[in-house]
Structures are given as C-alpha cells and as structure tokens.
Amino acid sequence: MTTLVFVHGWSVTNTSTYGQLPQQLQQQAAAAGLTLSLADIWLSEYVSFDDAVTMSDLVRAFDHALRDLHLLDASFACVTHSTGGPVLREWLRAQRDKPATHSTIRLSHLVMLAPANFGSALAQLGKGMLGRLKSWFAGVDPGQRILDWLELGSAESLSLNLDYIHSDDPVKRGQFLFVLTGDRPDRKLYDHLNSYTGEDGSDGVVRIAAANLNAHHAVLSPQANARGDTDTLALNLSRSPRCAFKLIADAAHSGDEHGIMASAAPATVQAILRCLQIRSASDYEGLCDTFERENAARDADKVELEPAGPFAPRVHIHDPRSLLIVRLTDEAGEPLTGAGFLFTAGVQASADLLPAGFLLDRQANSKQRTTISLFLDHSLLAGDARVADPRNSRKTLRPAVDSHRPYGASVQPMDLSGLVHHALARSATSDDLFAMLGPHQTTVLDVVLPRKIHEGVFRLTQTLTPQDFSRPVAGPVIG
C-alpha cells in the first residue's frame, strides 16, 4: 500500500490547482490492474505567497506536517508540481544533513512535474513591479523569499543542485527520482508583456533544461605553472547521477487545457504510473533508457505550426536547448565584476565563427551579478541537418547548419594591471567546451582566474630610517 502526497507550486492559494490528477491516478491504477495500490492521497496546502516565508521554512513545516500522517510503514511517494520539486529536494537534503531535527520517514518515489529545479527566468520578473501589482490585486504577497530561490543562478538553487551533482546516486538508497515536463507553452496563456511565457524550449514558465536533473558541473581553472600575459584555463567536468527524464508532448506548465497537472492528460497519468511502479535499480535503469528513446522520437519531430487565424501559421522549430549558468570568480573566491566572457569557435578561436542565433537569452542574477544564465540552442552548436517544411518537404524552413567545434571561451577582466590584478584568460585549445553541454540539460560553469599578487603588496626591510612607501613599486608577481 502506498501513501501518495501531492505538493503544489509557487503562489498557489487553492487545492483546485491539482485538477483531476489525484482522482485519475487512483482510478487508472485500479482499472489497469496494476500492482500499485494507493492507500491514501494527501494534498498539500503550503504558503509560498508570504514575503517572510523562506525555502527552509517550507522544509521545516513540511517535515512537521509529514509526521502528523502517522504512516504505517514510515514511507511515502510524492508527486510535485513546479516549485514543489525543489521543496521536496531541499527536504531530502535536510533529512540527510540534519537527522537530529528531521523525520526518518522514507521517500521512495519523487515524481516531479515541470519542476523549477534550476529556477525560472520568470522569477526575476515576478519580483518586479508588474508581479507585485498582480499579487496586490490578488490579495497576497509575491512570495519574495521563494522567488529569490527560484531566480536563475541563485546561490540557494546552485547549492542544492551542485550537492546533487556531486552526491551519491539516490538509487543506491532505494530512492527513485523522476522528472516529467511539458515540451511547449500554452499559446493561449501568452503574456504580451513577458515574452518568456511563449518561449520555445520551455513549458511557458520553466525551461526544459532547467527542469532536468541530468546536469553537469564544469570548472575552468588555471593550468599548473601558467605564466605570461594570458592564462590558460583547463576544463574539469563532473556529471550528475542519472535521472529518469521524460518530455510530455503538447503539455504546458499550467492551464486547464494543456497544463501538465491540472489537465490530467492520459500521457501525464500513464507516465506517472510508470514511475510509481519502479521497484529496483534495474527497473529504473530500463525506464531511463525508454524515456530517452521516447524523447529522441519527440525531438526528431521538431516543427510546430501554430495556427494564426486567417494568417499563415507561425513556425516553431523545437531544437533542444541548453542552459549554461556561468559564475565568474578568481581563486580567492572574489567575484570578477565587470569581466567580459566570450565564446569562441573553431581552431582559430574566433567569436565570428559561432552559428547565428545560438544565444537565445541572457539573464544576470539580481543578487549575484557575476552569475549569468545563458540559454543556448544546442542543435545549432552541434550542427544540424536541413529542416524541411512538413507541409511541403521540398521547401526548407532552415538550411543545414555546420558545427564549428571546438568551442572555447575567453575572459577579459577589468583590472589588467596594479598591485593585485587579473590577466586575460582563455580555455585550453585541447578542450572542446561543447562537451560540457547536453540537450535539454543545465551546466553550471565556474570560471576561476588566477589572482596576480605582486611582491610590492608586502615587503620587509632592514632600513631603520623612516621610508615613504605610499607609491610602492609593484615588482614581480609572487609565486
């Protein structure tokens, strides 16, 4: 018997947000004669629309509410939507790191629908005046502290995700994580004041890559014994544990008609049931493989023709995207304020060889301005075949695009001289930075520059008569 807990997303004020999904899951599990038996279904009601509430507050309150269920076998499964995914993942981390204050109740299955695991580009706008006006008319706060977490590149979200990337595989603990996300926005919900709500490569709120837990942590750091006016940065790459990830065709983030949760579409219900039936590591590995094949079939059918009334339909080419979150610091952890970060292509390491249109969006984090999120077209960077018009295969929507690998990067700091400064830096010619990117995936890239400290910062002298050192001679860089 399984206790199933549903956890909603940000700024929800009514349990109608779950739609018919709980009932559909219960009915279809029984109708199909599956081994899944739902003893209890619980719907969460948590407050994210109060500006005083933080993510850690939600975690503590969730843990308290869970204890009150008095679960017979001290375990449960969970289906989350949007921000609910990060809430449960933060709870899992707190349960691991703070066993004295958190329950030992075991989460067996975590099925995340459209989770904002790496945040949302909309969060920054939700904290602005427009978001506050909408919240004021609705009679609630925007939920400032939760939006801080959800902003792309926030220190809090990166802490959680880097911990996941570098931690042991949850499957080894008998814990199965799944990400199911829609593959396009609901065009009827498009907000003309906010183009992110109609952004290809997202479900209208969360980018596909930002939902996916299959991710990389890349570090560009100084090579040993690098000297001269230009520093060489070598690439070190870490990959997360494998996570079952599936695209739900034609599903959007929200809305009764296409919303991945509220619409309770058969594709969503069946995908959740497939996840909840997993009982072993081999089962999980097999489902990961199956989901990958299904995603590949979806990616092959990449052209969407959006009806536009009496006009010609709008054409959307659904290339897989990559989200790259870049943090610029030096080896002392100091942020490189004002530094320029530039991609290059080809053996010539030229920015002019980058494919047109590969950079789709750029957003700096409002609290950490040297953390920048770049939304990239993975297909254009990889090189892509000609895209034909599905209405007439002789017509070309987009000609073939050549890859210009290897890709590299250069960094130009603001301070190129002084007692303490930084030098120009470039990635090593032997490294192809394309290796750190994955389709529908996020990469956290830490760019770490050497800090040049000259001996003039600190000298010792045996001259006992007074000496003026208000204008020190820099001298050589110390080793």
Side-chain angles (χ1 to χ4, degrees), residues 4 75 102 105 262 294 322 386 388 439:
L4 188 58
S75 70
H102 288 72
I105 299 171
E294 293 170 357
S322 299
R386 166 184 172 269

Side-chain angles (χ1 to χ4, degrees), residues 66 125 142 161 255 304 307 319 328 331 335 339 349 362 375 400:
L66 197 62
L125 302 178
N161 288 307
E304 175 194 359
D319 288 332
L328 301 172
E331 56 196 354
R362 176 185 184 278
F375 199 37

Side-chain angles (χ1 to χ4, degrees), residues 238-433:
S238 301
R239 182 175 177 79
S240 67
R242 193 180 189 191
C243 178
F245 171 74
K246 179 171 174 56
L247 296 169
I248 305 295
D250 299 322
H253 193 81
S254 56
D256 294 336
E257 189 174 346
H258 295 287
I260 192 169
M261 182 168 67
S263 68
T268 302
V269 175
Q270 288 304 311
I272 295 173
L273 291 176
R274 291 163 74 186
C275 295
L276 293 177
Q277 291 180 85
I278 297 300
R279 289 292 179 269
S280 68
S282 60
D283 289 347
Y284 185 77
E285 194 73 15
L287 187 61
C288 288
D289 292 339
T290 301
F291 280 174
E292 283 190 4
R293 290 192 295 269
E294 293 170 357
N295 293 340
R298 175 268 178 200
D299 285 342
D301 184 20
K302 64 169 59 181
V303 178
E304 175 194 359
L305 300 176
E306 178 193 356
F311 306 102
R314 301 182 185 93
V315 176
H316 301 269
I317 300 176
H318 290 283
D319 288 332
R321 270 75 168 171
S322 299
L323 180 63
L324 181 65
I325 301 176
V326 183
R327 298 193 295 186
L328 301 172
T329 63
D330 66 17
E331 56 196 354
E334 293 288 326
L336 296 176
T337 305
F341 179 83
L342 185 68
F343 276 117
T344 61
V347 293
Q348 304 94 323
S350 170
D352 295 333
L353 293 178
L354 290 163
F358 84 97
L359 178 58
L360 303 168
D361 185 60
R362 176 185 184 278
Q363 188 181 95
N365 185 271
S366 64
K367 293 184 179 296
Q368 290 89 28
R369 302 300 297 180
T370 56
T371 300
I372 304 162
S373 296
L374 305 175
F375 199 37
L376 310 175
D377 190 313
H378 187 272
S379 291
L380 293 181
L381 290 169
D384 197 30
R386 166 184 172 269
V387 178
D389 190 328
R391 298 160 295 186
N392 183 350
S393 60
R394 294 182 178 180
K395 292 185 177 181
T396 298
L397 294 178
R398 186 177 72 197
V401 179
D402 293 330
S403 172
H404 292 281
R405 298 173 64 181
Y407 294 109
S410 64
V411 184
Q412 181 165 353
M414 292 284 287
D415 56 336
L416 297 175
S417 62
L419 287 172
V420 178
H421 69 278
H422 303 86
L424 298 172
R426 295 191 182 96
S427 57
T429 56
S430 57
D431 289 329
D432 182 359
L433 299 192

